[in-house]
Amino acid sequence: MVRLMITCAAFIAAAGSAFAQTPVERGSYLVNAVMACDGCHTPRDKSGFIMEKRFSGGMQTWDTPAYLVKGSNITPDRETGIGAWSDDEIKRSMRDGIHRHGRPIAPQMPFPFYKILTVRDLDAIAAYLRTVAPVRNEVQAPVYRAAMHVDLVPGAVKPFTEEDMRDPVKRGFYLGTIAHCMECHGRKPDGNQDYKNNWGKGGYVFKGPFGSVVTSNITSHPKSGIGSWTDEEIRRSLTHGVSRDGRAFKPPMARQDYFSRMTAADLDAIVAWIRTIPPIE
């Protein structure tokens, strides 16, 4: 009981600290510690991200039967980025997957995972994006070949409230959702999402310059998943990018540069949520 009271007190303190942040500070935290937006929007070369062209898009390409898209320019450049967009247009693109001109955005942009964003956090992200350096970089327009299927995330189809955020498990689910964990870990080996039967099971094989990587089982199953891991081992996997045996993660899970910036309370919340994922072998 004492431990529970201490834990709740820590989360209440963390919530108060979050409210003390300015919108830009909160938006920066979400983009740079949780959501890892560089992965799709920042150009890269052999040595890594080209930070002087940060968020200007154009290099990462997704070529599927339904669409051909590249990471878009989300800097405030008025001609090639989103500098001419209104705040409402930015927020609608993130929450609903609708471009400012009314066309749908390919679900490669994980907007189904952003529907859960609180009103305050969505406003904060828009405010932060206004502050990044504008970069002129005209990105190839998307090509849409067929109707796009979008899978909604169970429990995340509408914005969370600030009251939701005071519950550690709900807060962990919120953070894990905007980090779009189940985009990979809820995907079947054939590449299709299956949140009903494959929630956390993984099994999909990612291929890239890093080789082939099988998405891990992060359910609470003691053998197939991470049910036997300690809380500290789970936290270390996020902040250091290593498995419990010290093996380094490869992309796309190697996100320790982002997750290591998360607050202790938010990391604890993610661990608390992960513990609730039903075991699947």
Side-chain angles (χ1 to χ4, degrees):
M1 178 62 73
V2 172
R3 182 178 179 181
L4 177 61
M5 292 174 63
I6 292 173
T7 301
C8 290
F11 277 99
I12 292 171
S17 176
F19 276 112
Q21 291 176 309
T22 67
V24 171
E25 289 170 340
R26 177 64 178 171
S28 176
Y29 176 74
L30 294 169
V31 169
N32 298 313
V34 184
M35 298 163 70
C37 299
D38 285 306
C40 294
H41 294 286
T42 297
R44 66 183 80 187
D45 57 22
K46 293 181 180 179
S47 61
F49 291 119
I50 306 172
M51 298 308 284
E52 59 266 29
K53 296 183 179 180
R54 193 177 193 203
F55 297 145
S56 64
M59 293 187 68
Q60 287 82 305
T61 303
W62 294 270
D63 190 353
T64 77
Y67 53 80
L68 169 64
V69 297
K70 289 179 174 288
S72 59
N73 185 335
I74 59 170
T75 75
D77 183 76
R78 293 188 62 83
E79 295 182 1
T80 65
I82 60 173
W85 293 39
S86 69
D87 285 359
D88 283 344
E89 288 169 339
I90 293 172
K91 291 185 287 187
R92 185 172 71 148
S93 71
M94 292 190 62
R95 181 188 59 230
D96 301 326
I98 302 296
H99 190 272
R100 71 179 303 215
H101 296 311
R103 62 170 171 77
I105 295 174
Q108 193 64 46
M109 166 64 176
F111 61 87
F113 293 86
Y114 299 155
K115 289 182 179 294
I116 197 174
L117 281 164
T118 66
V119 171
R120 184 175 67 92
D121 280 353
L122 191 59
D123 288 344
I125 292 167
Y128 169 70
L129 291 177
R130 297 289 191 202
T131 71
V132 304
V135 179
R136 179 174 176 78
N137 183 34
E138 189 165 359
V139 176
Q140 175 185 319
V143 176
Y144 298 114
R145 300 162 173 155
M148 292 179 288
H149 175 72
V150 176
D151 293 289
L152 298 180
V153 182
V157 297
K158 63 181 181 180
F160 260 30
T161 67
E162 297 301 336
E163 185 61 32
D164 290 326
M165 297 292 285
R166 298 182 187 280
D167 178 277
V169 173
K170 288 183 178 180
R171 187 183 186 91
F173 171 66
Y174 177 87
L175 294 163
T177 299
I178 64 174
H180 35 99
C181 298
M182 290 301 174
E183 185 179 23
C184 298
H185 295 285
R187 186 179 299 193
K188 296 190 298 184
D190 64 6
N192 291 314
Q193 306 290 161
D194 184 1
Y195 299 134
K196 181 178 180 180
N197 302 301
N198 215 69
W199 185 256
K201 181 180 179 181
Y204 179 71
V205 179
F206 282 92
K207 296 181 180 180
F210 46 79
S212 296
V213 179
V214 180
T215 310
S216 299
N217 183 326
I218 61 168
T219 74
S220 55
H221 193 281
K223 293 183 178 180
S224 301
I226 59 175
S228 63
W229 291 34
T230 66
D231 288 359
E232 183 53 40
E233 286 170 338
I234 296 174
R235 279 192 293 268
R236 189 177 68 135
S237 73
L238 296 170
T239 59
H240 290 72
V242 294
S243 185
R244 70 187 309 196
D245 60 4
R247 172 180 52 84
F249 292 151
K250 294 181 180 181
M253 187 58 209
R255 293 187 174 186
Q256 61 272 16
D257 287 347
Y258 300 96
F259 297 156
S260 61
R261 302 172 188 172
M262 293 178 66
T263 65
D266 280 351
L267 287 167
D268 287 346
I270 290 177
V271 172
W273 164 63
I274 287 175
R275 294 293 191 201
T276 70
I277 300 175
I280 303 177
E281 187 170 8

